[in-house]
Amino acid sequence: MPETPLVLGLETSCDETGVGIVRGTRLLADAVASSVPEHVRFGGVVPEIASRAHLEVMVPTIERACAEAGVRLSDLDAVAVTAGPGLAGALMVGVAAAKALAIGLGVPLYGVNHLGAHVAVDVVEHGPLPEPTLALLVSGGHSSLLLVPDVTTDVRLLGATIDDAAGEAFDKVARLLGLPFPGGPHIDRVARDGDAQAIDFPRGLTSGRDLHRHSLDFSFSGLKTSVARWVQARESAGSPVPVADVAASFQEAVVDVLTRKAVAACRREGVPDLLIGGGVAANSRLRALAQHRCDEAGVRLRVPRPGLCNDNGAMVAALGSLMVQAGRSPSALDLPADSSQPVQQVQV
Ligand code: KG4
Ligand code: ZN
């Protein structure tokens, strides 16, 4: 195996078909085909539609990635794929495609964890990960604080959401405000014209007994309900809803808790490096407040550029490549797709 292996990564855990190609940790291609437009009218991802879309675009997206990277499939040294967690049917399309490639090309196959890949992707932008790194992962399906001594083998869960994921809260509140799906980017945009201090929405699990019992956990379901009640009260009184102020105040409540707990985790674990990943890490206010609080606390912050925060194949290729370079054994060719793969299981 060459020192800087050429690795192709496939991502199909939700609504993005991602094909990334790296050489070592250098990103050569990041082709993404999204089925979001097909889900918009349902206001959420429809699993069957996502699976079918993966199937339809898989081969053309692989071809596009190879063209972008200027490589042929026969040049590949290894194939990596998201084995879980995610939508079962969607994962299966990627896993089947990766097995076909690995068997056809006679190269090793690495079935990896989607969340680990969200962490690993930052190596293509900011170089090797400090060991350990503290990671805040915020996406449509997850909000977790992770201690990552070694992203290829050792990922530990420090805290997680006890109800809705951060991205889910963004999407639900956006819907309530009449903004399109997926709501995160729309709230981010609308909030720029709003006053983040206009409404004092609750910060879940940040005080008293809740904080004591769930010091590094999150809860966003009470916040969502509180926003819904506030909007309803306005509507029943016949007053207009100040959408920008609601969006900004809601966003502030989410990112306040996320950044506070992430910095607290760094302190508790004595880790001076924080990485934020996952779709919600594209949020402009989260990035700004995290930078501010990390500067204050003497924590170094790494956040991949927004395009690498959303689901993509580059993150899977990056984690696969790190595994190859670390000399990890490949996965078995009959590896399953595991919709509820625990975050600690970096490789299947
Ligand atoms: O990581 P990701 O692409 O897919 C999952 O693994 O879930 O994350 C998607 C989530 C969605 O909930 C979307 O609304 C949210 O990330 N998101 C954002 C922003 N961009 C995407 N949330 C807040 N602000 C953004 N700019
Ligand atoms: Zn994701």
Side-chain angles (χ1 to χ4, degrees):
M1 189 63 77
E3 215 171 279
T4 52
L6 186 68
V7 181
L8 177 140
L10 293 180
E11 155 60 36
T12 63
S13 69
C14 192
D15 51 0
E16 261 92 37
T17 311
V19 183
I21 300 177
V22 299
R23 190 183 297 282
T25 54
R26 197 157 63 85
L27 182 59
L28 303 184
D30 183 19
V32 178
S34 174
S35 61
V36 160
E38 294 172 57
H39 304 291
V40 168
R41 69 192 174 101
F42 301 102
V45 176
V46 182
E48 289 79 4
I49 293 179
S51 309
R52 186 182 299 243
H54 288 310
L55 207 50
E56 282 166 1
V57 302
M58 180 57 74
V59 171
T61 311
I62 292 175
E63 285 169 348
R64 189 150 60 85
C66 286
E68 205 181 297
V71 302
R72 284 172 310 196
L73 285 177
S74 55
D75 298 330
L76 294 176
D77 295 308
V79 173
V81 62
T82 301
L87 302 171
L91 288 167
M92 253 181 259
V93 178
V95 169
K99 286 176 183 174
L101 278 176
I103 293 169
L105 299 169
V107 297
L109 173 64
Y110 290 80
V112 306
N113 191 301
H114 181 79
L115 302 178
H118 269 303
V119 177
V121 72
D122 199 46
V123 300
V124 307
E125 195 176 0
H126 297 120
L129 288 175
E131 296 181 339
T133 288
L134 207 304
L136 169 67
L137 271 197
V138 273
S139 72
H142 297 270
S143 308
S144 323
L145 277 169
L146 310 173
L147 178 64
V148 187
D150 178 346
V151 73
T152 67
T153 53
D154 189 2
V155 175
R156 304 176 201 174
L157 186 64
L158 302 176
T161 179
I162 61 169
D163 41 55
D164 292 350
E168 198 179 349
F170 269 96
D171 296 340
K172 286 177 176 169
V173 166
R175 193 208 282 229
L176 213 104
L177 294 175
L179 300 170
F181 171 85
H186 296 283
I187 295 222
D188 193 347
R189 179 177 45 82
V190 170
R192 279 178 205 160
D193 301 320
D195 174 6
Q197 316 305 326
I199 310 152
D200 187 19
F201 286 127
R203 272 69 168 155
L205 309 181
T206 54
S207 61
R209 207 152 46 112
D210 281 347
L211 176 61
H212 187 68
R213 278 182 43 207
H214 292 285
S215 60
L216 297 180
D217 291 326
F218 303 106
S219 166
F220 298 110
S221 139
L223 168 61
K224 173 197 67 196
T225 308
S226 173
V227 176
R229 288 222 183 93
W230 197 93
V231 169
Q232 266 161 15
R234 272 290 173 125
E235 283 168 345
S236 347
S239 328
V241 175
V243 171
D245 286 349
V246 176
S249 301
F250 156 77
Q251 174 175 271
E252 195 66 19
V254 174
V255 307
D256 177 23
V257 179
L258 290 176
T259 53
R260 229 194 285 177
K261 294 206 174 199
V263 170
C266 287
R267 275 217 190 90
R268 194 186 85 179
E269 299 295 323
V271 175
D273 289 279
L274 175 66
L275 182 150
I276 307 185
V280 181
N283 184 269
S284 60
R285 179 61 187 146
L286 173 60
R287 298 169 83 97
L289 188 60
Q291 189 63 63
H292 176 71
R293 291 200 165 150
C294 283
D295 288 346
E296 268 180 0
V299 169
R300 287 182 292 262
L301 177 66
R302 304 164 62 118
V303 196
R305 62 177 180 263
L308 293 176
C309 290
N310 294 311
D311 288 351
N312 62 77
M315 63 194 228
V316 181
L319 182 50
S321 179
L322 291 178
M323 284 181 173
V324 173
Q325 292 174 72
R328 308 275 168 247
S329 302
S331 304
L333 283 174
D334 62 351
L335 79 99
D338 181 356
S339 60
S340 52
Q341 187 175 336
V343 63
Q344 298 90 333
Q345 190 185 1
V346 186
Q347 186 188 354
V348 177

